[in-house]
Amino acid sequence: MKFYFLIFLSFILFSCSKKTNSDSKTLESKTLDSTVKKSAEQKTSASDSYQAGFHLTHNIEVDSVDGKPVKFYIENKNCDSLAIAFYYGKFRPTDDNLTAKLLELSYTNDKNLRPFYRWILDKTIEIADGALAELPGVPARKYAEKFPEELFNFLDADTSKTRYLYWTDIISYSGFYENDDYNKPKLIRKKMEAEMIKNSSIKLQNRIAKFTSDCFPDVNKIDQ
């Protein structure tokens, strides 16, 4: 009889121990899930913060770029996935190769997607500081050289002229090609001007001269 009682007691103790361990694991699991969820929310919040001034709803039928709803670009089968991630605030530009690749899209020959990619470049220029400011200058210059009329229409759309200053400043800061001589801004202007004139009408010649002068003045802006 005593033997059966000991067996029964052992069974009860074992069951209690198993339940305690199970409850403990459940609590740990819930705590872990909560921690992971909180971490994800914090990361999303941090990621979205750089878009604070973009005035986005992240509703592709409400937000628009160049007069078209973002849906027009997002649902294009050729739209770059990184560009889509940028729009949704899931990819923040930094001084890395992915960002460089993203900004290079701005001067694509795809006229349907180019406005969306240019918008991304423009927004990156807006938030560029520190190391990030080293990346947008060359794409901005290449876009200006390749599509000067588009650029001027885009810049003119901002009546405050802030966009114009952003673009000329970033090209002045980081728009140098590898074979450019920093100490010879006149030569750089001449090359840039020739490219822009080649890709536009003669009526823009004076404006191009002014733009290139603002991009590469005789005394560089970063030295002032």
Side-chain angles (χ1 to χ4, degrees), residues 24-219:
S24 177
K25 286 180 181 179
T26 300
L27 180 61
E28 287 176 5
S29 179
K30 288 182 178 179
T31 302
L32 180 60
D33 288 344
S34 176
T35 302
V36 170
K37 184 177 180 182
K38 186 176 181 181
S39 176
E41 288 172 349
Q42 289 174 340
K43 286 182 179 179
T44 300
S45 176
S47 177
D48 284 345
S49 65
Y50 76 94
Q51 293 189 333
F54 292 4
H55 307 295
L56 294 174
T57 67
H58 292 139
N59 182 328
I60 62 175
E61 295 184 351
V62 174
D63 295 331
S64 64
V65 170
D66 201 43
K68 291 184 174 65
V70 170
K71 180 180 180 179
F72 174 81
Y73 308 104
I74 295 292
E75 293 188 349
N76 185 316
K77 65 179 182 179
N78 295 319
C79 189
D80 190 272
S81 59
L82 206 56
I84 296 173
F86 176 94
Y87 165 72
Y88 282 114
K90 303 302 181 183
F91 176 79
R92 177 171 186 159
T94 56
D95 58 327
D96 60 12
N97 291 332
L98 279 179
T99 299
K101 291 290 185 183
L102 176 62
L103 300 183
E104 287 172 2
L105 295 171
S106 60
Y107 49 91
T108 178
N109 288 324
D110 188 332
K111 64 181 181 180
N112 290 320
L113 288 172
R114 191 163 61 242
F116 186 53
Y117 296 149
R118 181 190 60 207
W119 171 80
I120 292 172
L121 172 61
D122 182 60
K123 293 306 177 185
T124 303
I125 291 173
E126 280 187 24
I127 63 172
D129 58 8
L132 178 57
E134 299 288 342
L135 293 185
V138 167
R141 177 179 170 182
K142 287 187 176 181
Y143 176 81
E145 291 178 343
K146 196 171 179 181
F147 305 104
E149 293 189 44
E150 274 188 14
L151 172 67
F152 290 140
N153 289 333
F154 178 64
L155 298 179
D156 290 346
D158 173 32
T159 56
S160 72
K161 304 301 180 184
T162 303
R163 184 180 291 161
Y164 183 92
L165 293 175
Y166 275 147
W167 277 66
T168 54
D169 281 353
I170 203 67
I171 293 174
S172 177
Y173 182 75
S174 60
F176 297 92
Y177 296 158
E178 288 185 9
N179 59 347
D180 285 335
D181 187 341
Y182 171 84
N183 295 309
K184 296 180 180 179
K186 185 177 181 179
L187 183 59
I188 300 173
R189 288 199 303 269
K190 185 177 180 181
K191 290 190 296 182
M192 185 178 180
E193 189 173 343
E195 284 298 312
M196 292 182 74
I197 291 174
K198 183 177 73 175
N199 293 312
S200 66
S201 60
I202 193 69
K203 66 181 181 180
L204 289 177
Q205 187 168 357
N206 291 336
R207 184 161 190 190
I208 288 172
K210 172 69 166 60
F211 181 76
T212 56
S213 179
D214 289 337
C215 289
F216 297 107
D218 290 325
V219 178

